[in-house]
Amino acid sequence: MYEGGRFLGPGSWQRRLCLAPFCVVEVRSVGEMVGSGEAAAEIEKLYAAVPQIRNVFYVMGKIGEGTFSSVYLAIARLRSGEDMKFALKHLIPTSHPTRIAAELQCLTVAGGDDNVMGVKYCFRKNDHVVIVMPYLEHECFVDILHSLSFQEAKEYVFNLFKALKRIHYFGIVHRDVKPSNFLYNRKLKQYALVDFGLAQGTPDTQIELLKVLHSKKQEGLLGGSTQRSVFGEKNFNVYSTVPHEVTVAKSITQPKTTDVAAKKLAARKTVPAKNTSTGVVRKTASTCPVSLTCYCYARDQVCSICLARTRQVAPRAGTPGFRAPEVLTKCPNQTTAIDMWSAGIIFLSLLSGRYHFFNAGDDMNALAQIITIRGSQETIRAAKQFGKTVLCSKVLPPKDLRTLCEGLRVCMVPASGSETEIQKQHTSLQLKILENQDGWFVEQTDVNPAEGTDKGLKYTLLTEGTELNQCNINGWDRVPDEAYHLLDRLLDMNPATRITAEEALLHPLFNDLV
Ligand code: ADP
Ligand code: MG
Ligand code: ZN
């Protein structure tokens, strides 16, 4: 880390950061961006938090705002006299230091090549950290979605796989692959994978700090309610990190059929958890003896026994619509394959012209949406492979991907607010997931489908009767079978057989690109 532009602590990866090739002779305003008083006030706050920035950069304005950071566009004058644009990522001061350092290490070790964003510099003052990256002007995915040709869409995913191949080679699981984290400059044909704020290491990762995060997570040493969790959860479903204790019930979606006994049980604050994966002897709350047989199996409601049970803790970072089935079902052994699933969802958006493709607000509905496309039997079969039992209230066949995408790409879109066929199917589907080991019920979808407004597949619906007029142009009338074959391999429900980034780059679809 830096202190006033100087590094503290050893490590070659850190020292490499020092080699910023610029020195500011003069700070001046280049172009206008600051605009409103509010924007100016935010920039002042940034200068106040990390004053060194003012010596080097002229901050033009905010370009991104997430849960854990704000990103600014800034300009610095190089020694050569040339002005250069940079992206300044100001991390929220409550981020865990190891988490911040790991994000930096991903950028320094894997970044700067093969469409992975690099880093130029890093500032710190107290608990404020600002990461300085080269600026890549980029398009907003939804804005360009309908004007992309098939060839351009193909190049986009090809370049995404290049980035994923690189980070996976270094043993980094990104965990938050989505269009806003994959920058695309259409004019320059440049791409950059950004945002390692949720990244995790594979068991053999080359990123030392991801190993540290992993071991600290195992020991339960990191966490805290106000900090960005090192488990990778964003701002929901944050579990207690106290070893052997898991907060229960607060975050469990309570179905309408919950009985009184169940509510009482669910109201309990903490239950000593037995964690089979770490070999901790399992105890259960006295109100819920382990010998009690569950009576909700194969029924469409959650029994009181199950409601009182602790839920399996597994990494589930990312954005619901991009989460792989093994993430949604809280499979503890997650691999780089989760990024390939997310890339598949992006490809699905490109091929169907719909974004967000899946928009569920929670994991169970997200899984239900996936099932409507990939099929219930297929899901059940795949889930078994990674140790989960999925119960589905009805049998849904898988959809043919070409028919699905071409159907969604049709010229006329439904009037806004009207349900698509997929929406109707999904909202009447109920799900349960059981852990194979002991048959414990984990969660289920809302029982009353009619109530929710965000339960179905909603798309960027255009106004009634809008002519997309996409069908026969830009190559969308000649999408080859290879595209749907690759999509099928990306959206493989089983992570063990899902296509890797390296394999995807060699897919026949890209024969003209290599
Ligand atoms: P967060 O963790 O808050 O999502 P990101 O690293 O994803 O932070 O950055 C948020 C947004 O800021 C991105 O979606 C992108 O629009 C913009 N951004 C980030 N890095 C850069 C960069 N190097 N060049 C241009 N824009 C960037
Ligand atoms: Mg982001
Ligand atoms: Zn039960």
Side-chain angles (χ1 to χ4, degrees):
M1 305 301 296
Y2 281 87
E3 185 78 86
R6 201 166 44 82
F7 272 111
L8 300 175
S12 60
W13 68 272
Q14 289 174 319
R15 255 176 266 123
R16 249 183 288 160
L17 269 176
C18 295
L19 307 173
F22 55 86
C23 124
V24 170
V25 179
E26 174 201 359
V27 180
R28 50 154 205 175
S29 131
V30 186
E32 276 318 306
M33 191 171 158
V34 177
S36 75
E38 200 186 312
E42 288 197 50
I43 293 169
E44 278 312 314
K45 252 197 252 164
L46 174 69
Y47 284 141
V50 190
Q52 312 93 291
I53 284 178
R54 209 192 278 274
N55 304 331
V56 186
F57 296 103
Y58 173 75
V59 181
M60 294 178 73
K62 198 187 255 189
I63 51 171
E65 165 122 51
T67 322
F68 300 105
S69 78
S70 296
V71 180
Y72 299 84
L73 168 61
I75 286 187
R77 172 156 294 187
L78 306 188
R79 218 167 265 169
S80 62
E82 189 195 340
D83 288 325
M84 203 166 165
K85 287 179 178 172
F86 293 89
L88 269 49
K89 181 169 179 174
H90 180 204
L91 300 161
I92 58 153
T94 48
S95 303
H96 195 283
T98 314
R99 180 29 89 194
I100 295 172
E103 179 169 356
L104 259 174
Q105 201 173 35
C106 289
L107 290 164
T108 51
V109 176
D113 209 348
D114 283 341
N115 303 330
V116 181
M117 180 54 72
V119 63
K120 286 287 181 197
Y121 208 80
C122 180
F123 291 99
R124 176 171 86 85
K125 195 202 169 197
N126 302 327
D127 49 0
H128 288 272
V129 174
V130 174
I131 298 174
V132 180
M133 297 168 275
Y135 174 72
L136 179 63
E137 194 174 342
H138 54 279
E139 327 286 336
C140 167
F141 189 75
V142 254
D143 292 351
I144 60 164
L145 183 58
H146 292 142
S147 66
L148 291 173
S149 67
F150 172 68
Q151 183 65 21
E152 206 177 345
K154 193 168 104 174
E155 285 168 16
Y156 179 97
V157 287
F158 181 78
N159 280 284
L160 174 59
F161 296 138
K162 253 192 192 173
L164 292 176
K165 179 186 170 186
R166 183 168 175 87
I167 66 159
H168 293 169
Y169 168 82
F170 284 99
I172 301 169
V173 185
H174 186 283
R175 300 204 66 94
D176 202 12
V177 172
K178 56 181 176 180
S180 64
N181 287 336
F182 186 58
L183 314 184
Y184 172 40
N185 185 311
R186 208 171 182 180
K187 234 187 272 157
L188 301 173
K189 285 217 175 285
Q190 282 179 6
Y191 309 81
L193 182 65
V194 299
D195 197 357
F196 292 88
L198 295 173
Q200 284 183 335
T202 58
D204 58 347
T205 184
Q206 294 180 45
I207 313 297
E208 290 303 317
L209 288 165
L210 290 180
K211 286 184 195 163
V212 175
L213 279 183
H214 187 74
S215 58
K216 287 201 175 173
K217 173 195 145 188
Q218 303 282 47
E219 293 161 25
L221 292 176
L222 291 178
S225 55
T226 57
Q227 285 175 340
R228 181 177 192 150
S229 171
V230 291
F231 293 150
E233 301 92 344
K234 280 229 167 177
N235 49 351
F236 37 79
N237 288 308
V238 176
Y239 293 89
S240 161
T241 56
V242 181
H244 314 167
E245 231 177 58
V246 178
T247 312
V248 76
K250 233 164 86 185
S251 53
I252 290 179
T253 316
Q254 293 207 8
K256 301 284 176 294
T257 52
T258 308
D259 57 51
V260 180
K263 272 187 186 146
K264 274 189 192 152
L265 285 172
R268 292 177 60 87
K269 281 263 154 49
T270 56
V271 177
K274 61 171 191 177
N275 187 336
T276 42
S277 63
T278 52
V280 178
V281 180
R282 182 175 279 197
K283 285 193 235 153
T284 48
S286 55
T287 42
C288 184
V290 76
S291 57
L292 218 60
T293 358
C294 157
Y295 53 87
C296 70
Y297 190 88
R299 289 171 58 192
D300 63 355
Q301 65 183 99
V302 192
C303 75
S304 53
I305 298 157
C306 288
L307 265 181
R309 286 171 171 166
T310 56
R311 298 201 296 172
Q312 184 165 28
V313 180
R316 48 194 301 285
T319 309
F322 294 90
R323 280 191 194 137
E326 66 272 25
V327 179
L328 295 172
T329 54
K330 303 185 183 73
C331 175
N333 308 315
Q334 297 171 17
T335 67
T336 51
I338 69 167
D339 291 340
M340 296 309 289
W341 174 275
S342 307
I345 299 295
I346 297 179
F347 196 28
L348 183 58
S349 271
L350 290 165
L351 291 173
S352 65
R354 305 295 172 134
Y355 185 77
H356 297 86
F357 196 93
F358 294 127
N359 73 333
D362 62 76
D363 287 354
M364 277 300 104
N365 282 298
L367 189 63
Q369 292 182 342
I370 290 171
I371 288 172
T372 59
I373 285 170
R374 301 305 276 159
S376 52
Q377 301 298 102
E378 290 71 11
T379 304
I380 290 163
R381 215 178 302 129
K384 207 171 248 164
Q385 301 295 313
F386 53 82
K388 299 285 177 177
T389 303
V390 174
L391 302 179
C392 229
S393 62
K394 58 180 161 190
V395 177
L396 289 178
K399 292 205 184 315
D400 174 70
L401 293 172
R402 179 188 285 276
T403 312
L404 172 76
C405 292
E406 287 181 349
L408 290 169
R409 225 170 221 289
V410 291
C411 301
M412 293 298 194
V413 292
S416 57
S418 73
E419 278 193 336
T420 64
E421 190 208 341
I422 295 167
Q423 261 176 306
K424 283 186 199 132
Q425 276 190 16
H426 153 253
T427 48
S428 60
L429 182 69
Q430 289 160 22
L431 287 181
K432 290 181 188 183
I433 298 167
L434 301 155
E435 288 163 39
N436 276 353
Q437 291 162 316
D438 52 10
W440 274 24
F441 169 78
V442 177
E443 207 174 4
Q444 79 166 64
T445 51
D446 290 25
V447 172
N448 186 350
E451 282 192 1
T453 50
D454 65 343
K455 302 295 188 300
L457 285 185
K458 276 195 222 117
Y459 305 106
T460 40
L461 290 177
L462 305 179
T463 47
E464 191 163 3
T466 305
E467 192 94 21
L468 279 179
N469 202 17
Q470 286 263 318
C471 303
N472 303 310
I473 51 164
N474 284 337
W476 289 107
D477 55 332
R478 291 172 272 116
V479 177
D481 288 340
E482 285 82 7
Y484 294 105
H485 177 265
L486 175 59
L487 180 62
D488 182 58
R489 296 288 293 108
L490 291 162
L491 300 182
D492 184 341
M493 301 291 289
N494 181 0
T497 50
R498 195 174 299 146
I499 196 167
T500 65
E502 194 175 1
E503 289 162 355
L505 288 169
L506 299 172
H507 193 277
L509 177 66
F510 303 125
N511 278 349
D512 61 328
L513 298 180
V514 280

